[in-house]
Amino acid sequence: MSDPGEPQWDLLPDQPEQFFSLSGEYDVRDLKRSYNALIKRFKPEKYPEEFQRIRAAYERLNDALRYGETPHQGTIPLESQFDWSSLPVPGQQPRDLPEDQTPVSPAGSSQEDPNSESAPLIEFLELHERVKQEPLPELYEDLRSLPHKTPYDYYALALISDLLSEEELSFPLWLLKGLKAHPEEPALFELLHQYFLTNQTINGLGKLLVQTSRIIRNDRFYYLTENAWDLLLREVPFSRFRQVLETCESNLLDHRVDHMLVFYVHLLKAALWKADPGWIRMTLAQIDEYHERMTFWLEQEYEFLFLIRSYQEQREEFLKGGPVRKLIDQTIIDYCTQNEQTADRRFLECQLTLVSQRDEVLEEFDVPSRNCETVVYLWETIAADVSQRIDTDWLPDDPATLQEQTSQLAGRLFAEGEGAEYRKAVKIPRLAFTLIFLISMLVIMLCLINKSDSISGTLLIVGFLFLFNGVAFIISHLFTDMVTQEFYLSWWRRQLMTFYQSHWFPLPYLAAELKRLNGTRIDNQKFRGLGEIAHMVRNDAGLWFYSTAQRLLSACQ
């Protein structure tokens, strides 16, 4: 008996919707949830074949949904779209048939009407039978010489030419010839889409795209070729990429704005790192012009582009920190420019490095971490996307235990080692200010008692003492902050990192709970300074990167 939780592999590749348990109205988010649930079980490093089948089915539906194509279109089995019998070819002799069998004349043949009394009762060999009996070169020449070819003939020519010809593009070129003869033929169109989806050959790709734009001259060109543009953008200089794209778009006659928006929002994720600034500005302005036509999920993708743009504006300053920052920067670029599998792997490799180089992370990110707000938010967005695909049985801490765990953490921060030294250190400026304030009050009282002095002199002394106390208060406050920051960097920060080796609570939640505990008393111990620690936690980019890395690596384990 098969496992009831086992995917129905027999539904692929022809019924991807049923494979992902999708029915009725669904969108990109529904598809992604189902896809992520499957690839958590069938990871590429353990189940490469299963993963590739799941990925191919996902990309097929995802492309259709994003571009507004009917998801069912192109997912019908090819057997029901093609006439699987070959056309008669000159010189072929019909087979002898049993007396009780009615012969069938192939669809699309030039034979006489089978209902006519004079029609010969013949049946020609089907193509799969001819392949077994005839040399492929002769069969290829016979098919190519046909004056009128069916869609299936073009499909057969594409397959055979792929076996016989050394030309890498013979397969898609025959499909294009078929689409030229049979415009919008769904089976040929889907076969060509699958070719662009899986092809990793860069040689001749630019010419193939231009040739495709001369035959598929409507808005479906973007949907058909999107993956080929991703490959071209990665492998060739941007000037060459732009030239090919502009040539192709000049051949299009009626491309819709909606398809153009989907294509360019997808393309810009990688192009922002490679394209020239002028082209980026022009493309963004073109998208902004039709922003109101975006769907909800497309708006989210567009907001991610602006997050990247904001980071790029601060990138030069961010990279001055050291090698860890450069590693983070390269990981962000890889996430935007590489395929999903490669990007996920490099992101997780970066997490392992961040955990293993804790001291370097502490050194490169001061507290407060300046000009890091955007990169932290960008990193969180990427981590959330990657974690959806890698989480297995790992579960984060129960939020209900946050208060208890934070109380225990606070106890360690203040009761152990340098934590106790901190309480003594911060008392010094506080006691000094208190002493100065008391002496000032005493001097003021003496001045008021001494009637011999003029009133103006008394007021001058009082004003001076108030000013002196104000300055003393500011110095005391600054000294306390300096001591607190020093203890945070040398003691509390390391304790917080140790805490995140075995716990996971979102940093804002932990900071809010630490602030709430400030000034409270637990087990005869009064916590002071937790508000300052909470503020530093919120502004500690190094702790953000480290805690995120610990969380993702725990999920992988």
Side-chain angles (χ1 to χ4, degrees):
M1 180 179 296
S2 62
D3 183 359
E6 184 72 12
Q8 294 180 273
W9 298 107
D10 57 327
L11 294 175
L12 296 180
D14 299 321
Q15 297 174 282
E17 290 176 309
Q18 290 84 343
F19 177 79
F20 287 113
S21 302
L22 299 170
S23 60
E25 294 293 332
Y26 63 91
D27 59 17
V28 174
R29 290 169 295 178
D30 299 323
L31 172 62
K32 195 169 186 178
R33 278 193 291 268
S34 181
Y35 164 71
N36 288 337
L38 282 170
I39 63 173
K40 288 174 187 177
R41 296 174 55 192
F42 298 95
K43 296 186 179 297
E45 61 273 10
K46 291 185 177 181
Y47 306 96
E49 294 183 6
E50 290 84 350
F51 173 82
Q52 290 300 333
R53 295 182 68 186
I54 295 170
R55 180 67 189 174
Y58 166 75
E59 290 182 342
R60 192 174 183 178
L61 284 180
N62 185 55
D63 287 354
L65 286 171
R66 290 188 300 111
Y67 280 95
E69 295 277 326
T70 304
H72 299 283
Q73 187 171 348
T75 62
I76 306 172
L78 295 180
E79 291 87 344
S80 63
Q81 297 188 39
F82 280 134
D83 173 18
W84 286 89
S85 59
S86 65
L87 291 178
V89 293
Q92 183 182 344
Q93 298 298 322
R95 294 185 298 173
D96 295 331
L97 298 175
E99 295 182 359
D100 59 345
Q101 182 174 341
T102 302
V104 179
S105 181
S109 70
S110 59
Q111 302 300 318
E112 300 180 20
D113 185 355
N115 295 323
S116 171
E117 294 180 359
S118 60
L121 299 180
I122 58 175
E123 180 183 54
F124 293 96
L125 291 177
E126 294 181 354
L127 184 59
H128 70 273
E129 295 176 336
R130 293 185 61 193
V131 169
K132 298 177 183 178
Q133 300 178 17
E134 302 178 31
L136 283 181
E138 294 181 9
L139 181 58
Y140 178 73
E141 290 300 325
D142 284 345
L143 288 173
R144 193 170 65 168
S145 65
L146 289 174
H148 303 289
K149 301 180 184 65
T150 66
Y152 179 67
D153 291 327
Y154 285 104
Y155 169 58
L157 284 165
L159 286 178
I160 297 174
S161 69
D162 198 38
L163 297 173
L164 297 179
S165 175
E166 295 181 357
E167 184 182 354
E168 294 179 341
L169 301 179
S170 61
F171 181 85
L173 288 175
W174 270 114
L175 295 180
L176 282 174
K177 290 178 181 179
L179 285 168
K180 184 175 182 180
H182 304 275
E184 298 295 327
E185 162 59 42
L188 291 177
F189 187 91
E190 180 60 24
L191 284 168
L192 188 58
H193 177 244
Q194 289 298 310
Y195 173 83
F196 281 124
L197 197 64
T198 58
N199 173 60
Q200 295 298 319
T201 302
I202 193 65
N203 294 334
L205 184 57
K207 294 181 179 179
L208 177 61
L209 287 168
V210 173
Q211 183 67 20
T212 303
S213 69
R214 292 171 180 161
I215 296 174
I216 309 298
R217 307 187 70 181
N218 55 35
D219 59 287
R220 301 187 75 198
F221 173 80
Y222 292 112
Y223 161 70
L224 178 68
T225 61
E226 181 188 84
N227 289 274
W229 292 111
D230 291 341
L231 177 61
L232 196 67
L233 181 61
R234 287 196 298 267
E235 300 296 333
V236 304
F238 183 77
S239 58
R240 171 60 179 160
F241 172 89
R242 181 176 181 176
Q243 179 185 11
V244 175
L245 180 58
E246 290 177 351
T247 302
C248 290
E249 290 190 322
S250 67
N251 292 327
L252 303 184
L253 298 177
D254 61 343
H255 61 276
R256 295 186 302 168
V257 171
D258 294 333
H259 280 211
M260 182 198 70
L261 287 174
V262 174
F263 176 76
Y264 276 106
V265 169
H266 168 83
L267 191 67
L268 278 168
K269 182 179 177 181
L272 285 175
W273 302 97
K274 195 171 183 179
D276 58 82
W279 184 87
I280 292 174
R281 287 193 298 269
M282 179 185 68
T283 305
L284 288 173
Q286 190 176 13
I287 295 174
D288 281 336
E289 186 177 352
Y290 302 101
H291 185 270
E292 69 280 356
R293 302 183 64 166
M294 289 187 181
T295 59
F296 173 75
W297 67 265
L298 191 59
E299 284 186 350
Q300 289 184 315
E301 295 293 324
Y302 194 50
E303 289 174 1
F304 182 75
L305 296 180
F306 273 92
L307 191 58
I308 296 174
R309 293 276 285 170
S310 298
Y311 167 65
Q312 288 178 330
E313 293 174 358
Q314 304 174 2
R315 181 170 176 251
E316 185 176 349
E317 186 68 26
F318 177 77
L319 290 175
K320 292 179 180 178
V324 171
R325 294 192 180 205
K326 293 179 181 178
L327 174 64
I328 292 171
D329 174 75
Q330 186 59 52
T331 304
I332 293 173
I333 295 175
D334 289 340
Y335 173 81
C336 296
T337 59
Q338 301 297 321
N339 61 61
E340 182 183 280
Q341 186 176 351
T342 301
D344 285 357
R345 183 180 70 252
R346 292 184 180 175
F347 189 80
L348 293 176
E349 289 172 353
C350 177
Q351 310 314 301
L352 184 61
T353 302
L354 292 177
V355 170
S356 62
Q357 297 183 3
R358 185 180 75 170
D359 292 340
E360 288 80 357
V361 173
L362 295 178
E363 181 180 348
E364 290 190 20
F365 291 96
D366 294 331
V367 181
S369 304
R370 296 176 178 85
N371 300 322
C372 290
E373 297 83 0
T374 300
V375 67
V376 165
Y377 185 44
L378 177 60
W379 195 257
E380 283 186 328
T381 304
I382 296 173
D385 181 50
V386 175
S387 66
Q388 287 179 353
R389 293 188 289 272
I390 66 170
D391 285 356
T392 52
D393 297 328
W394 181 84
L395 294 175
D397 293 277
D398 185 354
T401 65
L402 174 61
Q403 182 175 349
E404 178 185 354
Q405 297 292 344
T406 307
S407 298
Q408 295 176 5
L409 173 64
R412 292 195 297 272
L413 293 178
F414 283 94
E416 301 177 4
E418 295 186 26
E421 296 296 325
Y422 166 76
R423 295 200 304 275
K424 298 177 182 178
V426 295
K427 286 180 180 179
I428 297 174
R430 291 172 183 169
L431 291 174
F433 173 74
T434 302
L435 181 60
I436 291 173
F437 180 77
L438 292 175
I439 293 175
S440 299
M441 291 299 101
L442 180 60
V443 171
I444 291 173
M445 291 178 63
L446 291 175
C447 289
L448 292 174
I449 293 174
N450 189 356
K451 303 296 184 179
S452 61
D453 293 337
S454 64
I455 188 66
S456 59
T458 302
L459 292 177
L460 182 62
I461 293 174
V462 171
F464 172 78
L465 289 174
F466 272 110
L467 180 62
F468 180 75
N469 276 270
V471 173
F473 175 79
I474 293 173
I475 294 175
S476 172
H477 182 73
L478 292 175
F479 184 80
T480 301
D481 287 346
M482 184 179 66
V483 171
T484 302
Q485 183 170 353
E486 183 62 30
F487 273 91
Y488 179 84
L489 293 174
S490 63
W491 172 251
W492 292 327
R493 199 184 198 192
R494 294 180 180 275
Q495 291 299 308
L496 287 165
M497 287 185 164
T498 303
F499 175 81
Y500 272 103
Q501 291 177 1
S502 56
H503 297 282
W504 170 255
F505 296 107
L507 274 174
Y509 295 176
L510 181 66
E513 188 61 25
L514 286 171
K515 185 176 181 180
R516 188 191 67 82
L517 289 175
N518 189 47
T520 61
R521 186 180 297 275
I522 299 177
D523 297 333
N524 297 323
Q525 181 178 356
K526 192 171 185 178
F527 295 126
R528 294 186 182 276
L530 286 178
E532 289 80 359
I533 294 178
H535 176 73
M536 291 183 180
V537 166
R538 292 191 185 96
N539 292 277
D540 188 349
L543 185 60
W544 281 92
F545 287 114
Y546 182 83
S547 62
T548 300
Q550 284 287 4
R551 187 258 183 188
L552 288 172
L553 292 179
S554 297
C556 290
Q557 293 173 358

